Amino acid sequence: MDTVIEMKGITKAFPGIIANDDISLDLRRGEIHALLGENGAGKSTLMSILFGLYQPDKGTITKNGETVSINGPNDATRFGIGMVHQHFKLVQNFTVLENIVLGMETTKRGFLHMEKARARVMELSEQYGLSINPDAFISDITVGMQQRVEILKMLYRENEILIFDEPTAVLTPQEIDDLMDIMKGLTGEGKSILFITHKLAEIKRAADRCTVLRKGCHIGTVDVASADVEQLSEMMVGRKVNLVVEKDKAKPGEVVLSVNGLCVNSKTHGKSAVNNVSFHVRSGEIVCIAGIDGNGQSELVYALTGVIPPDDGTIILDGKDISKTSVRGRSNEGMAHIPEDRHRHGLILDYDLAYNLVLQTYHTPRFQKNGFLRFKEIYEYADELIGKFDIRSGQGGKTPTRSMSGGNQQKVIVAREIDRKPKLLVAVQPTRGLDVGAIEYIHKQLIFERELGAGVLLVSLELDEVMNLSDRILVIYEGQIVADVDPKDVTLQELGLYMSGSKKNIGASSLPGKEQTNEK
């Protein structure tokens, strides 16, 4: 294979941190080249330099052997380079078609002419198996569909070098399978792909070669076929990583959360998003809600945590009815929440790191006196959590949260919620976007919370995480709990049947004080 892109000696520094330190990388024609590294290792920075979002302090980029200067995304497009960002760059109130052609519109006498663009987009959609509705608004389609729009944007611009930044972080297992097939199809057409990911199984499945970065430095490039996941994880983290979750048998105590007949009406259609759901969580156990994305998990969590009011039913936390309690009231009663959307519900991106770490506790005597914030205590607390949870931040507590990597932003939320020693921890996709070392750490933290006596309600789309962490699994399908099973007694295939609605198994364990009975 011939080399299409070569990055030589790339160095990029930000205040307090060297993001890329003399990194070299080459991309061959028709290959999928994975870029692997911990959160904050410099992967996204390196790819942002290739796409023209940042300018390197040192180093050169060549395309097809000729040195090029990429001063912005328009230059990147001119050189045939496209990028799908981890957080999609789409206009929510534009249609799919309008987003795809944005910046490359065909006009005549000042008026948009979309007929040729529509025909070309639909041709590309059919050619690459990227089924879309061109007239749907971005705000109304799933994240999987939004990703297809981002890919079609690149194809419409005839990009031959495609950068995918954490493309599977927000996808369901089925959408991940589709994406892997699409990527292989693209390289079969002669395109070249740079693929940023934390997920070793995806690298083994899709990539030809893998370059590993650690703390801004190039550790090595390996042929994926000859490397195993243990080798890759050790290169990434710098130590051996235990890929198997180790935990003692659960010792459930009293019921800490009791949900009875909970109903939440959908805001987008007439059906109930959550329909007469009842279950309980005891102290000292991890209960996981598993299901295909879009089956009511989000609405259930919003109702439990106070983001939206339930339309019917009751929520009892540690013996107290909190069905109508505010978000802060639930927090004060001992509920902690790691949300699925860290930007929307977890962080204030324009605040610095220290302020985000005290969002739940800034009103307490430790951090305020007579209505004035105690800045010294806030920043000392931030330094404590930064060290304890290994949060990568170039300027410590003063680091702008928006400037941090997605994985480190997630660590901020996990640190804030776990450090409050909650009675109930509601953890929704807590390891989304994290590297294997951080995942190992977060899993240990969840198990430690269980051992301290907290009840943990885990909501996850990652079936390996569901099977490894859970003491009990509740499967949700179309807003209803259709199975209540012990992970030791269920296979992945059987779990898939429950998740698709093909099978039900509701035992009595959903009711406090009852033992489980299986009816299959």
Side-chain angles (χ1 to χ4, degrees):
M1 293 185 185
D2 57 322
T3 299
V4 288
I5 287 288
E6 189 170 8
M7 305 179 79
K8 299 178 183 176
I10 300 295
T11 298
K12 179 66 178 177
F14 295 103
I17 191 168
I18 299 176
N20 295 151
D21 188 359
D22 192 27
I23 294 176
S24 296
L25 169 76
D26 67 284
L27 175 67
R28 299 169 184 169
R29 193 177 309 280
E31 80 164 339
I32 298 177
H33 192 131
L35 198 56
L36 178 66
E38 293 181 278
N39 304 120
K43 308 180 300 296
S44 294
T45 300
L46 186 66
M47 291 300 97
S48 294
I49 288 171
L50 181 58
F51 191 57
L53 294 173
Y54 297 139
Q55 301 304 306
D57 300 329
K58 294 179 184 176
T60 59
I61 300 172
T62 62
K63 186 190 176 201
N64 296 326
E66 295 185 6
T67 300
V68 294
S69 179
I70 305 175
N71 297 311
N74 287 338
D75 283 348
T77 299
R78 186 161 51 87
F79 291 121
I81 301 168
M83 184 171 182
V84 176
H85 300 267
Q86 183 177 0
H87 300 288
F88 303 143
K89 308 292 185 184
L90 298 172
V91 182
Q92 294 292 309
N93 59 345
F94 278 18
T95 66
V96 166
L97 180 61
E98 289 166 347
N99 270 278
I100 291 171
V101 305
L102 188 61
M104 296 192 67
E105 303 90 340
T106 303
T107 59
K108 189 175 183 181
R109 295 174 185 169
F111 291 93
L112 282 173
H113 277 248
M114 302 291 276
E115 292 80 8
K116 286 185 179 179
R118 177 184 292 269
R120 177 60 179 153
V121 167
M122 296 314 294
E123 179 187 337
L124 289 169
S125 170
E126 186 173 342
Q127 180 181 348
Y128 291 100
L130 295 163
S131 177
I132 46 103
N133 175 2
D135 299 312
F137 287 97
I138 296 298
S139 58
D140 295 334
I141 63 177
T142 66
V143 289
M145 284 293 134
Q146 290 180 33
Q147 188 172 73
R148 293 186 177 199
V149 176
E150 287 278 22
I151 295 170
L152 282 167
K153 277 172 62 178
M154 293 194 293
L155 297 175
Y156 185 76
R157 287 156 178 74
E158 298 183 348
N159 296 142
E160 57 179 314
I161 297 146
L162 313 179
I163 304 167
F164 289 83
D165 187 357
E166 297 286 356
T168 64
V170 294
L171 300 186
T172 66
Q174 290 81 359
E175 289 169 335
I176 291 171
D177 290 341
D178 291 343
L179 177 64
M180 296 291 117
D181 292 338
I182 290 165
M183 289 169 65
K184 288 181 178 179
L186 291 168
T187 54
E189 298 273 338
K191 299 185 184 299
S192 306
I193 293 176
L194 283 159
F195 172 36
I196 302 175
T197 185
H198 293 109
K199 298 180 180 179
L200 301 174
E202 291 172 7
I203 291 177
K204 289 294 290 182
R205 177 177 170 185
D208 300 300
R209 289 189 299 151
C210 177
T211 291
V212 182
L213 304 185
R214 187 166 74 237
K215 295 182 179 179
C217 298
H218 177 262
I219 300 301
T221 298
V222 298
D223 288 320
V224 171
S226 59
D228 56 34
V229 292
E230 288 78 14
Q231 178 188 350
L232 291 172
S233 64
E234 189 170 349
M235 288 177 69
M236 175 171 63
V237 181
R239 61 176 175 82
K240 290 191 181 297
V241 178
N242 188 354
L243 302 174
V244 178
V245 177
E246 295 180 352
K247 60 187 174 79
D248 295 329
K249 186 177 180 180
K251 299 172 184 174
E254 297 297 316
V255 172
V256 69
L257 174 70
S258 180
V259 178
N260 301 290
L262 194 69
C263 296
V264 181
N265 294 330
S266 171
K267 304 302 179 188
T268 57
H269 54 73
K271 293 188 201 175
S272 293
V274 179
N275 186 10
N276 194 31
V277 164
S278 298
F279 65 91
H280 73 279
V281 180
R282 296 181 184 274
S283 64
E285 73 170 347
I286 298 175
V287 176
C288 182
I289 294 180
I292 297 169
D293 197 22
N295 276 275
Q297 298 98 315
S298 296
E299 291 84 357
L300 174 60
V301 170
Y302 293 162
L304 293 178
T305 56
V307 176
I308 60 175
D311 292 286
D312 200 5
T314 59
I315 304 165
I316 310 295
L317 177 63
D318 200 27
K320 183 175 180 179
D321 190 338
I322 60 164
S323 307
K324 297 181 180 178
T325 304
S326 67
V327 173
R328 177 181 285 186
R330 296 179 199 216
S331 175
N332 291 340
E333 290 295 331
M335 179 183 288
H337 177 209
I338 300 170
E340 63 178 326
D341 188 333
R342 53 180 168 255
H343 286 178
R344 188 176 178 189
H345 293 130
L347 299 165
I348 301 176
L349 293 176
D350 291 324
Y351 281 12
D352 68 23
L353 169 56
Y355 291 157
N356 273 287
L357 286 169
V358 296
L359 283 179
Q360 299 278 34
T361 51
Y362 69 89
H363 58 282
T364 62
R366 179 178 180 183
F367 299 120
Q368 68 89 23
K369 185 177 182 180
N370 299 327
F372 292 92
L373 291 175
R374 305 176 73 177
F375 298 108
K376 183 172 181 287
E377 284 76 7
I378 289 173
Y379 283 98
E380 285 178 352
Y381 177 68
D383 289 341
E384 178 187 326
L385 292 194
I386 287 167
K388 184 177 176 181
F389 288 84
D390 189 28
I391 301 169
R392 304 286 171 84
S393 51
Q395 297 169 274
K398 295 182 179 180
T399 304
T401 307
R402 188 181 295 279
S403 71
M404 297 169 63
S405 70
N408 278 294
Q409 290 173 356
Q410 183 77 348
K411 286 184 181 180
V412 173
I413 299 169
V414 170
R416 181 184 68 212
E417 299 302 315
I418 285 181
D419 197 63
R420 293 193 295 115
K421 305 303 179 194
K423 298 173 185 174
L424 175 73
L425 174 61
V426 181
V428 190
Q429 297 283 68
T431 59
R432 173 180 281 172
L434 298 186
D435 58 69
V436 289
I439 289 171
E440 176 194 43
Y441 183 77
I442 298 303
H443 285 173
K444 285 181 177 178
Q445 290 296 316
L446 294 178
I447 292 167
F448 186 59
E449 287 302 299
R450 181 193 78 159
E451 292 173 352
L452 287 177
V456 179
L457 181 65
L458 173 68
V459 181
S460 179
L461 299 175
E462 301 283 350
L463 291 186
D464 287 342
E465 187 168 69
V466 170
M467 295 293 281
N468 289 329
L469 278 183
S470 305
D471 299 308
R472 272 196 299 130
I473 300 172
L474 304 175
V475 181
I476 191 168
Y477 174 73
E478 292 189 346
Q480 293 183 310
I481 301 297
V482 297
D484 182 347
V485 295
D486 187 320
K488 296 191 295 291
D489 300 331
V490 69
T491 64
L492 282 174
Q493 291 74 18
E494 191 177 3
L495 203 57
L497 290 175
Y498 294 135
M499 290 167 65
S500 65
S502 302
K503 192 173 183 179
K504 290 189 178 184
N505 172 12
I506 300 298
S509 70
S510 290
L511 304 174
K514 300 286 186 70
E515 294 300 322
Q516 181 176 0
T517 59
N518 290 332
E519 297 175 5
K520 298 182 182 178

